[in-house]
Amino acid sequence: MTELLQQVRVIDPVSEIDELFDVLIADGYIQAVASHISEINSDTQIRDCQGLVLGPGLVDLYSHSGEPGFEERETLLSLLQAAAAGGFTRVSILPDTSPVIDNPALVAQLQQKRRKEVREKEKINLAPPASPLPLLHLWGAITLNIAGKQMTELADLASAGVVGFSDGKPLENLALLRGVLEYVQPLGKPVAFWPSDRQLAANGVIREGPDALRLGLPPIPASAETTAIAAMLELVAAIGTPVHIMRVSTSRSVELIASAKAAGLPITASTTWMHLLLDTKAVKSYNTSLHLDPPLGNPSDVVALRAGVRAGVIDAIAIDHTPYSYEEKVQAFAEAPPGAIGFELALPLLWQYLVETEEFTALELWRALSTSPAECLGQKVSAIVPDQPAELTLFDPQQTWKVERKSLYTLSQNTPWLGQQLKGHVVQTWC
């Protein structure tokens, strides 16, 4: 099919472009980009795209899949459908499935499952119209059963095609951490860590501060994160292995990362989309979908994280999509498992509260959701120019919709925005 998108707002972080263009797409490739395209075939589908935004496909650094092991939370198909509906063309899954992705056989099994879902989707239209399923990348576990005790066969996992290595949970044994940094260096794969001192975090569920006192919830001090980051940075300085720091959530962490980057340490960092939008004040609702780990920051943390993303200190925004069943989340706040869904919500909400308020430019937000996450994974995203593959997201910032079961592709509904009316919706993705 050949499509002509007329007068669409093209946001291209690769070319640093934010302008109106006509874009011609055919056979999975961009054929032409110009201020006006008039020479087209008679069978070209013409779409008036005034008011719509076209950008590179969004890239998720890390999220959680229910399958295998917890298919009642999320299947691989529903996860990929939700990602496509949210504008994502590449999705990276953490290894905390059941069984854990700590061996080459499971890597092959999940990739084969994704190929099967693609073939099935070609027979029955289960995803949004004309939206193919995103590419699936898998993080390989650093330690066996992500238990933090014994390294996996990292070289075998690398040969099996994992996108990189991460347990997706804190690795507190510093001697083991040092050994991992030494071992992965020649493998040429990203390695991602979530720095958190679980002894300092203890049983906390909210960031330490005035709101924690008012709400009567056990607090987590910022030092639970910052001391772990400081220790990791010392090891990176000594060994030189590039490292990605996941789930940055405090203002002091942003300062530590900025100083480390200024000193030339080979690090990248990410925060999650919800940590950019909400702070501890939101927890007064005791909605268990606001129980996150790390917890939402204090207002000063949110300000620092936003500034960090704009400045490039925080390279990327991750979705960290974490599905749970209704029964798992209907508990007391402190007892409910931490995490929330996000694929179908992140772009509309970030655009509404960061771009429309003019705190972020459209280019800054799109870069943090597309090209920068890809770079953290050691990948590239093509510019929106002729002869490049059409890996694109078409977004309508003004379309309104209600967050409810029938409007979501994900199986789980653990989000604080459930039942609310949102502005901004993905129209189509091309993979």
Side-chain angles (χ1 to χ4, degrees), residues 204-253:
V205 294
I206 186 174
R207 179 64 66 214
E208 186 176 69
D211 291 316
L213 287 171
R214 278 193 291 268
L215 297 172
L217 294 170
I220 298 178
S223 57
E225 179 171 290
T226 56
T227 55
I229 288 179
M232 178 174 295
L233 292 176
E234 286 296 309
L235 290 176
V236 172
I239 298 168
T241 302
V243 159
H244 181 79
I245 299 174
M246 308 166 64
R247 301 183 178 123
V248 177
S249 70
T250 74
S251 58
R252 177 59 182 153
S253 299

Side-chain angles (χ1 to χ4, degrees), residues 283-305:
V283 182
K284 66 182 180 181
S285 67
Y286 293 96
N287 186 323
T288 55
S289 293
L290 295 169
H291 179 191
L292 307 178
D293 199 3
L296 293 171
N298 290 305
S300 59
D301 296 318
V302 177
V303 171
L305 289 171

Side-chain angles (χ1 to χ4, degrees), residues 143-371:
T143 63
L144 289 173
N145 205 35
I146 57 173
K149 296 180 180 179
Q150 181 181 348
M151 260 192 286
T152 58
E153 295 293 339
L154 299 174
D156 290 347
L157 284 168
S159 298
V162 296
V163 73
F165 305 104
S166 179
D167 274 2
K169 57 190 294 187
L171 183 57
E172 298 183 81
N173 183 329
L174 292 180
L176 179 58
L177 176 56
R178 178 185 172 89
V180 170
L181 293 180
E182 291 173 336
Y183 193 88
V184 301
Q185 199 168 54
L187 298 180
K189 296 278 188 178
V191 57
F193 297 100
W194 172 22
S196 178
D197 186 315
R198 304 316 272 178
Q199 288 185 316
L200 283 173
N203 65 337
V205 294
I206 186 174
R207 179 64 66 214
E208 186 176 69
D211 291 316
L213 287 171
R214 278 193 291 268
L215 297 172
L217 294 170
I220 298 178
S223 57
E225 179 171 290
T226 56
T227 55
I229 288 179
M232 178 174 295
L233 292 176
E234 286 296 309
L235 290 176
V236 172
I239 298 168
T241 302
V243 159
H244 181 79
I245 299 174
M246 308 166 64
R247 301 183 178 123
V248 177
S249 70
T250 74
S251 58
R252 177 59 182 153
S253 299
V254 177
E255 293 175 2
L256 290 171
I257 292 165
S259 297
K261 285 190 170 187
L265 266 62
I267 58 172
T268 57
S270 59
T271 188
T272 83
W273 70 286
M274 286 183 66
H275 286 85
L276 292 174
L277 291 177
L278 301 172
D279 58 36
T280 49
K281 295 185 185 306
V283 182
K284 66 182 180 181
S285 67
Y286 293 96
N287 186 323
T288 55
S289 293
L290 295 169
H291 179 191
L292 307 178
D293 199 3
L296 293 171
N298 290 305
S300 59
D301 296 318
V302 177
V303 171
L305 289 171
R306 291 182 179 184
V309 172
R310 293 196 65 196
V313 174
I314 305 299
D315 299 83
I317 301 171
I319 306 306
D320 208 6
H321 176 86
T322 308
Y324 282 106
S325 67
Y326 174 81
E327 291 75 16
E328 288 173 300
K329 276 291 192 178
V330 181
Q331 300 188 54
F333 189 90
E335 302 301 320
I341 61 172
F343 280 132
E344 298 166 80
L345 306 172
L347 178 58
L349 285 161
L350 289 169
W351 186 280
Q352 182 178 346
Y353 288 102
L354 298 182
V355 177
E356 291 201 350
T357 59
E358 299 184 351
E359 185 171 349
F360 277 49
T361 67
L363 271 172
E364 286 170 340
L365 177 62
W366 215 280
R367 179 183 296 110
L369 286 169
S370 61
T371 55

Side-chain angles (χ1 to χ4, degrees), residues 23 25 30 54-57 89 384 389-394 428-431:
V23 179
I25 301 171
I30 300 168
L54 183 72
T89 56
I384 303 178
E391 186 180 353
L392 304 165
T393 295
L394 186 63
Q428 186 173 338
T429 60
W430 291 261
C431 290

